[in-house]
Amino acid sequence: MEENLDNKLDNKMIPVVTLRDIVVFPGTTVYFEVGRESTIKAVSEAMNSDKMIFTVAQKDQHEENPGLEDVFEIGTLAEVKQIITLPDKVMRVVIVGIKRMKLKYVETVNDHLRGSLEEVQETGDTSYTLEVVAYVRGLKDLFKVYCDELGKINQQIYQEIMDCTDIDKLIYMIASNIPVNYQLKQKILDEDDVMKRHEELSVILSREISIMRIQDDVATRVKRQVDENQKEYYLREQIKAIHKELG
């Protein structure tokens, strides 16, 4: 697969899809809708050739015609699995992320972006050592607490995550399925060292758990105050009624 992929990329300009609020990770399936004509043309070209596209997040979500300076340097090479044409010139796209890559250069060809890509050096030991096993278990435990606090998660996705033993894949699966700001996800994708990616994700999960617990505490205090106010109101109304009955 890796050799075939390298042959496909050899000295080739790949259709580039710039995304708003979405970061695609290797090994994950992503569904998104596009309406920009340039993006639709890029995806269509990929479907008519080798199905390869390069997905990269925009820095400014309001930029309509992003160039090299308007997108992050690191993105994900992906394979287009399905496209569905919807009303109002919208296309629904299903892709699978393949590998992290760096965008070196972009140009506009036939009204859409194409780019040349560069390999990024992965660092960190991902072999099945006791240390890696400990990291995997710790991340799963943290994700379980996160899900318990969140209270809603697709059970199939949850089970796939809990069954995963590869630390890199585990990081990408969790990062792809938590509803946090895309810039936080981009920090994970940018990191070359797998253990630092693990650290980035752990910090994000811990922060989200703390925020949800604070929200729960605030909601509980507000509910308690509302209940007390309602009790006082009902008591006052009962006293008024009694006084009225007594004349």
Side-chain angles (χ1 to χ4, degrees), residues 26-114:
T28 63
T29 300
V30 179
Y31 304 76
F32 60 91
E33 293 181 359
V34 295
R36 281 187 292 201
E37 185 177 353
S38 59
T39 304
I40 291 174
K41 287 185 176 180
V43 173
S44 299
E45 182 195 318
M47 280 298 288
N48 292 330
S49 55
D50 58 13
K51 300 184 178 180
M52 292 291 113
I53 60 171
F54 181 73
T55 63
V56 63
Q58 292 184 202
K59 296 175 182 177
D60 180 359
Q61 304 311 295
H62 302 292
E63 178 60 55
E64 284 297 325
N65 299 294
L68 187 63
E69 69 282 358
D70 302 309
V71 298
F72 291 98
E73 187 177 45
I74 302 296
T76 300
L77 183 71
E79 181 179 3
V80 181
K81 291 295 186 180
Q82 185 182 40
I83 59 173
I84 301 172
T85 302
L86 302 175
D88 300 322
K89 297 181 180 180
V90 174
M91 176 184 286
R92 180 173 296 156
V93 186
V94 182
I95 64 172
V96 175
I98 297 174
K99 66 186 300 185
R100 296 168 62 246
M101 298 197 78
K102 181 185 292 186
L103 183 61
K104 293 195 302 180
Y105 169 78
V106 292
E107 63 182 14
T108 301
V109 180
N110 297 329
D111 298 323
H112 69 270
L113 292 178
R114 290 184 185 175

Side-chain angles (χ1 to χ4, degrees), residues 23-26 72 74-76 100 122 139 167-178 180-205:
V23 175
V24 178
F25 292 97
F72 291 98
I74 302 296
T76 300
R100 296 168 62 246
E122 298 279 345
L139 190 55
I167 188 168
D168 222 12
K169 185 176 180 182
L170 178 65
I171 291 168
Y172 291 145
M173 289 175 68
I174 293 176
S176 182
N177 285 286
I178 56 176
V180 297
N181 186 280
Y182 75 98
Q183 293 179 340
L184 296 175
K185 295 187 177 188
Q186 183 66 40
K187 286 182 68 176
I188 296 173
L189 189 67
D190 283 343
E191 184 54 64
D192 293 334
D193 188 284
V194 62
M195 293 309 171
K196 290 183 179 179
R197 285 201 288 269
H198 173 279
E199 183 178 332
E200 288 281 358
L201 180 56
S202 297
V203 169
I204 292 170
L205 288 174

